[in-house]
Structure formats: structure tokens, C-alpha cells
Amino acid sequence: MPARKKSKVRDTSQYLDFLTGIIERVSDGFVAIDSNWIYVYVNETGARMLQRERPEDLIGKHIWTEYPDGVGQPFYHAYHRAMETQQPIVLEEHYDPWDRWFENRIFPSPAGLTIYFSEITERKRAERVLQYEAVLLDKRNALLEKIARGEDTETIFTHIIRTIEAEAKGTLCSILLLDNDGVHVRHAASSPALPRDYVRAIDGAPIGPAAGSCGTAMFTGKQVIVSDIATDPLWKEYKAIALPFGLKACWSVPILSPQRKVLGSFAMYYREIRSPGELDIKLIEFAARIAEIALDRAAADKRLREREQSLSSIYATVGDSIFQLSVETDQRFRFSSVNKAFLDTTGLSETQIVGKRVDEVIPEPSLSLVLRRYREAIRDKKIVRWEETSVYPTGELTGEVSIAPVFDKAGRCTHLVGAVHDITDRKKAEQNLRQLNAELESRVRERTAELAGAMERAQEADRLKSAFLANMSHELRTPLNSIIGFTGILAQGLAGPLNDEQKKQIGMANYSARHLLALINDVLDISKIEAGQLEIRKERFDMRVVIEISVAAVRSMAEKKNLPIEIFIAPEVGFIVSDRRRVEQILVNLLNNAVKFTETGKIVLNCKADSEFIVVTVSDTGIGIRAEDIPHLFRPFRQVDSGLARRHDGTGLGLSICKELVNLLGGSISVESRLGEGSDFSFRLPTGV
């Protein structure tokens, strides 16, 4: 072969490879078909779009043998027409066998067809949705216009059903509302073709998680699609009602308030097993939204009517004088309405006021002040208040007046609304009160001086009393300690043997002396606290040891009553910094009370701690405390069990001392009690560590 021809062939081959590379990279499908309808070329994209793995799966094969379902389709006729006329054709058509849209650009030649094609299904769907939404927008506007005109809800519901049934052939629509009990449904509107017996059968049915389509949608607040009533579990209890009437599918969406509260449901029934498409879903949601707007408007109208009735009632019955003025172009003011209180207060008749100018009703000198205030309210666009005194047929009246301007959309003041609160009697009373106040102030000054002197004398006496009691500690305690010591020696037989009666009498004397010493200690402690003479001496000590010592001090008394004392101390309880003696005193007081007021059961001491505080709780199963007595527990000389018939001795100072000591130690004390069941006393102290 000559070199020139070889070079030409090589160039042609390279050019074909170049073109093939371009065709393989384009996003469109590309095929070439010869005049016998045989594929001679298919690019990779085209093979995939034609549902083949590789181009080789089609090349060399007959188009209508490979795609027999395409015979008779619009593309079939377009290909044949292009081959016959040898004219290019651009075609957008739906390919029914695949339910997809394609755009074909067909270029014929005597050798066959070259076809570029691309799938446009999504674009077509989007176009269809846009067209459908435009239709729905027109219908929405028509329905909203009816709502705006104030047509009643039942009529609006009927229009909604007719609109939906005109768009979706074969559907039967229904609107159900949730009853006031929030549990049952009631029929609101339905298609004339929906059997009346079926409508009556579901009226009053309860909602629930498996209550058909509508009852379930209202229960869940979500869309419920049932394509086959006969087999869907949501219709298990209701299919016997629906199927005899030929109802086989039901789609339902909830109708919601602006606050997302379920109001009802909109449903579309079909007499065939059917699933919704994208446009069906838009349609049913459209219907539900319009129903929501209608219900919201109806509720707003109802509220407005109730408010108008309420305002009318208030206007007629309110005690203050209320009036309305129209503002004329020259800023003259004319009465347009007044309430009954205005007439009663002034003594004027309605014909003497309504329709009259202000200067014909309000006398001078008040008129000038009134006109200035009216113009101020309009100029500053705000409520203006003032006091005004005028003379009317009923006499001289003083009132607190407020006036509010009302503007139209153009910003022009059209009305003034005013109210007058009659303060005539109050003004007279204020004058009388000022006179009385002057007299009382003089008397109060005199009495205050007397009370101040008495208060100083009482405080001094109280300080002397507390100081006396605090200083009497040695004189009172020393003889009692001697009595306790000597009776103890006698009871032990150290001074000679005693008979049983002598032992009994000596024991009684010892107990009485100890009891008296405890009472004196309580009185002295509370006196020192009140006199500010009680010293707090803090030291570091082991709280566990203090608890054990305190429990040991009362254990014998508890054992005499067969009361066990249980102790629970948390592992984290250890050393604290506080006044050891006072902490023991608090514990012993609380444990003594628990034993004293408990006949059966047990005493429990629980102690726990954290990094900052330690908490001790003493619990008993005793008589308990009435709720009304708890506020008095921590007051000095107060006992819940008081009077001549009380069964438990004591001064009523123990809990008061506990509270004061806890406060001095920087803590707090509290009580919880159940009458007849027992009490829990807890105190909380800083660890000081």
C-alpha cells in the first residue's frame, strides 16, 4: 500500500477513535441503527439506560426483537416516520412499559438512524407537580375566598369534598371531627356517594392505635395510608363495616390546630385496592390544610362573638363611665356612645349626650382642659390620663379620666375611647383622712415614746434575768450533785445495809435529784444562750466515737422499754471540727426524746457525710406529731403533750436548746413526723475539715 494511503487510513482511524471517545463521555445515550433496525453502535450510557450491562449486549441485534413491548409505542412510530421521511425528529414521550419519560433526538440517513436520548422522568414529574400545584393554588384561593366571606364550616367542608372528588375521580371523601371528650369521632361532612349506613356506623366510634384509617390518624396525629382494607391490621375491627359497602382502600390525614392539636381527619375512600401517588398525597394534604383553616377561622369567629358579647356586657354593666367620641375633620369631637354608668353619674339623658359635640356637654372651666388632653392623645398617639372636676345635674364630680386614640390604616385618628372613674367620694375621704392622720401622728408620737421606755425597761429586766440564771449555775448545781452523790453511796450500801423499802426510797430520791438537775441544766443553758454567754469551743474529734458515747448514755433507758437502738454510720463519716460537748448534748437530747415518746418498735440513728456537711437523723416509731404542732416544736417551754393529763415529763426546753446549739454551730435542724407512726429529727453541721 502506498505510504500516502497508509497515512490517510491511519489519520481516519485516529479521528474515529477520537469521535468514539467523545461519544462515550457524553451524558446522553447514543445509538446507531441501520436500515434493517439492527444496532450497529451503542455507547456505555445508552446501554445502561436501555437496561443492558454492556453495549455488546445490543450491538448486532434487532431493536424490536430486544424490545418487543416498544412496538406500537410513540417512539416506534417516530423512528419509522423519520426513516420514511428522512427528516429529523425531536420527541418527548412516556415509555409505558418502563413508566419512564425520555427525550429522543432522531437523525435519519439512508443508512439508518442516529439517536441521542436522555431520561427526563424527574423533570416531567416536577413539571407535573408544578402544574398540579398551580391548579391546587387556584382551588385554594377559591376556597379561602369562601372562608373569608364567612360561610359556615359545614358549607366549606362540602366545597372541599366536591373540589377533591372533581380532581381525583373515583374517590369518596369524608371529614370527621374529634368530639369534645377527645376520644370519639363525629361525622362532619362526606361525599353523597359514601353510603349513609356506613357514615352512621362510624359516627361516635373511638379513636385508637388500630381504629381504621381515620381513628388511627387522629390518635397518632400522623398520616395513615391503607391500600387494602381487607388485609390491613388497622382495619381488623372495622373491615366488617367497610367491605360490605364496597370500600377497599382508605387514606387519611389528621386535621390539626395551629397549636398542633388534633381536631379531626380528612379521608379518601376507594372501591378498589389502591396506593397513593405523589399527587394523591398532595391532594389529601391540601384538603386537610383547608379544613384546618376553616376550623381555625370558625374558632376565631366564635371567640370574636364571645368577646363582643362579653365587651357589650361589660360596657353596659361596668361601674366606670365609658364613652366614645368621633373625631371630625376640623378636630371637633362628638359623642357617639356612652354607657349606663355615664348617664347615672352625670344625671344626663342619652339624648342630651349622643350626637352632641363635647362643648355642648362638658361645661367650663373643664372644657379647655379636656380639649387639650384630647389633642395631646392624638398628637402623641398614646393614652393620656388626668383628673377633672365638673358640675353636672347630680352635682360637682371629680373623676380620673383616660382617653385612647383609635387610628385607621391611613394613620388618621377616627375615634377617641374614654373612661372616667368617679373619685368624688374618695377625694372627700382623703380630705377627712388627712385630718385624722394629723391627729393620729400626734398620738403615735406620744405613745411611741412611752413604748420605747417600756421596751428598754423590759429588755434590761430580761438581760438581768438571764445573767442571774447564768450566774446561778454553781449555787444550783452544787447541792444537787451532793444529793446525787450521797444517795448513790447509800444505794450502793457503802454506809450500811438497806432494806427493800429504803432502797426504793433512796432510788426515788436519786432519780428526782437527777431529773431536777437536768431541768436546771436546761434552764441555765437556754438562759446562757439568750444572754449570749454560751461559749462554743471547737476542736477536732471523731464523730463515730461521739455517736457511740451518746447512744451508750441512753441505752439503759431504752432497754427498760425493750427498745433496740440501731446505728448506721456511712463509711465517709470521720473527724469533724466542732464543739464536741454540744454535739453530744444535741445527740443525747434527740435520743432521749425518741426513747421517751416510743413505747414499741425501735430507735434508728443514721449518719452520713460529704465534703462539707455531716447529717445525723434520729428516727423513732413513737406517738408522732400532728402537722399543726410541728411549727411550735422548737419554741422554749412548749410541749406537744401538755396539760394536766400529759404522760411525759420535761420542761419543753430540749428541742429549743438543740435548735439554738445547732444554729450556733453553723448548722440547721428539721423534723418530719406522721401522727401515730413516728418522727425523724435531722440536724446538719459543717464538718469544718
Side-chain angles (χ1 to χ4, degrees):
M1 180 181 294
R4 183 179 297 175
K5 185 175 290 187
K6 286 182 181 180
S7 176
K8 184 176 182 181
V9 170
R10 185 169 57 253
D11 292 344
T12 302
S13 176
Q14 290 175 349
Y15 182 67
L16 288 174
D17 290 341
F18 172 72
L19 290 178
T20 301
I22 292 175
I23 293 171
E24 288 297 335
R25 287 175 175 79
V26 297
S27 59
D28 288 352
F30 177 81
V31 299
I33 302 171
D34 66 15
S35 58
N36 294 318
W37 304 102
I38 302 298
Y39 285 107
V40 294
Y41 182 80
V42 180
N43 71 348
E44 292 282 351
T45 303
R48 287 194 300 272
M49 294 173 67
L50 294 171
Q51 301 184 353
R52 295 295 187 270
E53 292 184 2
R54 302 172 302 154
E56 290 77 8
D57 295 336
L58 289 174
I59 294 173
K61 297 179 180 179
H62 195 282
I63 181 174
W64 307 123
T65 301
E66 289 298 303
Y67 301 102
D69 292 338
V71 176
Q73 293 289 326
F75 293 115
Y76 176 88
H77 297 299
Y79 293 171
H80 279 271
R81 188 167 64 254
M83 191 78 83
E84 292 169 1
T85 63
Q86 289 294 299
Q87 294 295 319
I89 296 175
V90 178
L91 179 69
E92 290 184 359
E93 272 296 344
H94 184 261
Y95 187 58
D96 293 339
W98 294 351
D99 189 25
R100 290 155 67 186
W101 282 83
F102 291 93
E103 179 189 53
N104 275 226
R105 297 181 297 282
I106 310 163
F107 300 97
S109 71
L113 299 176
T114 300
I115 305 169
Y116 295 89
F117 59 97
S118 58
E119 184 177 351
I120 57 172
T121 304
E122 291 304 317
R123 192 191 84 196
K124 283 294 184 180
R125 284 177 181 168
E127 289 175 357
R128 187 182 176 199
V129 168
L130 288 173
Q131 292 170 356
Y132 199 67
E133 287 177 344
V135 171
L136 291 183
L137 182 61
D138 291 340
K139 297 184 180 300
R140 173 181 178 275
N141 292 338
L143 290 169
L144 291 179
E145 186 177 344
K146 295 179 186 297
I147 294 172
R149 285 203 301 265
E151 294 189 19
D152 62 85
T153 306
E154 186 176 350
T155 302
I156 296 298
F157 285 171
T158 300
H159 286 310
I160 293 172
I161 288 171
R162 288 175 180 170
T163 299
I164 300 304
E165 291 184 348
E167 282 299 313
K169 302 301 182 184
T171 188
L172 308 173
C173 297
S174 167
I175 297 177
L176 298 177
L177 296 180
L178 193 59
D179 210 347
N180 292 332
D181 63 7
V183 177
H184 297 86
V185 306
R186 57 184 174 86
H187 172 263
S190 61
S191 167
L194 193 64
R196 296 298 93 188
D197 288 342
Y198 174 75
V199 172
R200 283 190 288 270
I202 63 172
D203 196 17
I207 65 173
S213 299
C214 299
T216 306
M218 281 190 264
F219 181 80
T220 62
K222 297 178 181 179
Q223 180 185 103
V224 175
I225 303 298
V226 173
S227 302
D228 187 355
I229 289 175
T231 60
D232 198 292
L234 296 181
W235 279 83
K236 181 180 179 181
E237 302 297 328
Y238 294 90
K239 64 183 177 182
I241 302 174
L243 294 176
F245 294 105
L247 304 176
K248 296 183 179 181
C250 181
W251 316 331
S252 182
V253 292
I255 299 171
L256 305 174
S257 72
Q259 294 76 34
R260 311 306 293 169
K261 178 183 177 183
V262 174
L263 304 177
S265 68
F266 182 87
M268 294 172 65
Y269 290 87
Y270 284 93
R271 297 186 184 277
E272 60 189 26
I273 296 173
R274 180 166 176 172
S275 298
E278 181 181 6
L279 300 184
D280 294 320
I281 295 297
K282 286 187 175 293
L283 188 62
I284 193 171
E285 290 178 347
F286 162 83
R289 298 299 84 79
I290 297 298
E292 289 171 1
I293 295 170
L295 288 172
D296 187 48
R297 172 59 184 267
D301 288 345
K302 181 182 178 182
R303 290 193 298 271
L304 182 60
R305 288 193 299 272
E306 291 173 348
R307 184 182 177 194
E308 288 175 348
Q309 292 171 358
S310 176
L311 289 175
S312 297
S313 176
I314 293 171
Y315 191 72
T317 59
V318 72
D320 286 351
S321 300
I322 300 176
F323 60 93
Q324 181 173 296
L325 303 168
S326 61
V327 180
E328 299 177 352
T329 53
D330 55 355
Q331 276 216 346
R332 290 178 177 270
F333 308 98
R334 192 178 298 275
F335 283 97
S336 54
S337 71
V338 295
N339 69 340
K340 184 175 181 299
F342 193 105
L343 304 177
D344 295 340
T345 302
T346 61
L348 298 171
S349 67
E350 190 169 1
T351 55
Q352 290 177 294
I353 302 174
V354 176
K356 303 291 185 181
R357 295 193 311 274
V358 168
D359 55 32
E360 296 176 299
V361 177
I362 300 177
E364 288 285 8
S366 301
L367 179 62
S368 299
L369 170 64
V370 165
L371 293 175
R372 284 201 309 274
R373 297 303 188 194
Y374 290 174
R375 289 167 183 142
E376 178 186 347
I378 296 171
R379 182 189 70 239
D380 297 341
K381 297 183 178 181
K382 67 176 185 179
I383 297 174
V384 176
R385 296 179 175 86
W386 71 94
E387 282 190 11
E388 171 191 329
T389 300
S390 301
V391 178
Y392 292 101
T394 53
E396 185 178 87
L397 302 174
T398 301
E400 291 179 339
V401 187
S402 62
I403 199 79
V406 179
F407 296 89
D408 61 16
K409 291 182 179 180
R412 185 176 66 88
C413 183
T414 58
H415 293 84
L416 293 173
V417 178
V420 182
H421 180 61
D422 187 2
I423 58 171
T424 304
D425 292 339
R426 192 186 83 190
K427 284 292 184 180
K428 292 177 181 178
E430 286 175 355
Q431 180 60 34
N432 294 334
L433 188 61
R434 280 192 290 271
Q435 294 175 355
L436 287 173
N437 283 342
E439 296 175 6
L440 285 174
E441 285 176 3
S442 176
R443 294 178 187 175
V444 167
R445 282 193 296 270
E446 295 173 2
R447 186 59 178 158
T448 300
E450 295 174 4
L451 291 174
M455 176 67 76
E456 288 179 5
R457 290 191 293 274
Q459 289 174 343
E460 180 62 22
D462 188 58
R463 284 194 294 272
L464 290 172
K465 179 265 297 180
S466 297
F468 169 76
L469 289 174
N471 291 326
M472 286 296 293
S473 172
H474 178 73
E475 285 75 5
L476 291 172
R477 286 173 174 156
T478 299
L480 282 174
N481 285 329
S482 297
I483 293 171
I484 292 168
F486 289 133
T487 54
I489 291 171
L490 291 173
Q492 294 175 28
L494 299 177
L498 300 175
N499 59 35
D500 291 341
E501 181 60 28
Q502 289 171 332
K503 288 180 180 179
K504 177 181 176 182
Q505 296 299 329
I506 290 296
M508 291 173 61
N510 186 276
Y511 172 79
S512 297
R514 289 180 182 277
H515 181 61
L516 182 58
L517 180 61
L519 297 181
I520 291 171
N521 284 336
D522 283 349
V523 172
L524 291 173
D525 279 345
I526 199 71
S527 298
K528 285 183 178 180
I529 290 170
E530 290 178 350
Q533 295 180 358
L534 188 72
E535 294 184 13
I536 297 298
R537 297 177 179 176
K538 293 188 177 182
E539 59 180 312
R540 188 172 184 269
F541 62 88
D542 190 342
M543 188 66 185
R544 290 175 173 270
V545 174
V546 170
I547 290 172
E548 291 170 1
I549 292 172
S550 301
V551 171
V554 299
R555 192 177 295 280
S556 62
M557 185 170 67
E559 288 174 349
K560 289 178 182 179
K561 301 177 75 172
N562 293 320
L563 295 173
I565 300 179
E566 298 178 0
I567 305 173
F568 297 98
I569 304 177
E572 61 270 17
V573 174
F575 284 87
I576 69 170
V577 176
S578 191
D579 190 322
R580 174 173 179 155
R581 180 186 166 205
R582 299 307 176 184
V583 173
E584 286 182 11
Q585 186 177 353
I586 296 166
L587 279 168
V588 171
N589 268 346
L590 294 180
L591 288 166
N592 266 327
N593 275 358
V595 174
K596 183 193 301 184
F597 293 103
T598 303
E599 299 302 326
T600 61
K602 61 182 178 180
I603 312 298
V604 178
L605 187 149
N606 192 304
C607 183
K608 57 185 179 180
D610 57 28
S611 60
E612 296 183 14
F613 291 94
I614 191 164
V615 179
V616 180
T617 301
V618 177
S619 304
D620 63 61
T621 56
I623 61 175
I625 306 165
R626 293 178 299 183
E628 59 268 25
D629 290 329
I630 289 178
H632 309 299
L633 279 180
F634 297 104
R635 296 181 184 176
F637 305 105
R638 295 296 295 268
Q639 283 188 307
V640 173
D641 180 20
S642 61
L644 295 175
R646 68 190 184 96
R647 295 179 298 152
H648 305 95
D649 55 12
T651 60
L653 288 173
L655 288 177
S656 176
I657 291 172
C658 286
K659 184 176 189 305
E660 295 298 336
L661 290 176
V662 168
N663 288 342
L664 288 171
L665 295 174
S668 61
I669 190 168
S670 62
V671 60
E672 293 182 4
S673 185
R674 303 153 300 282
L675 187 62
E677 297 181 16
S679 305
D680 301 318
F681 283 85
S682 298
F683 66 92
R684 185 169 180 261
L685 297 176
T687 60
V689 178

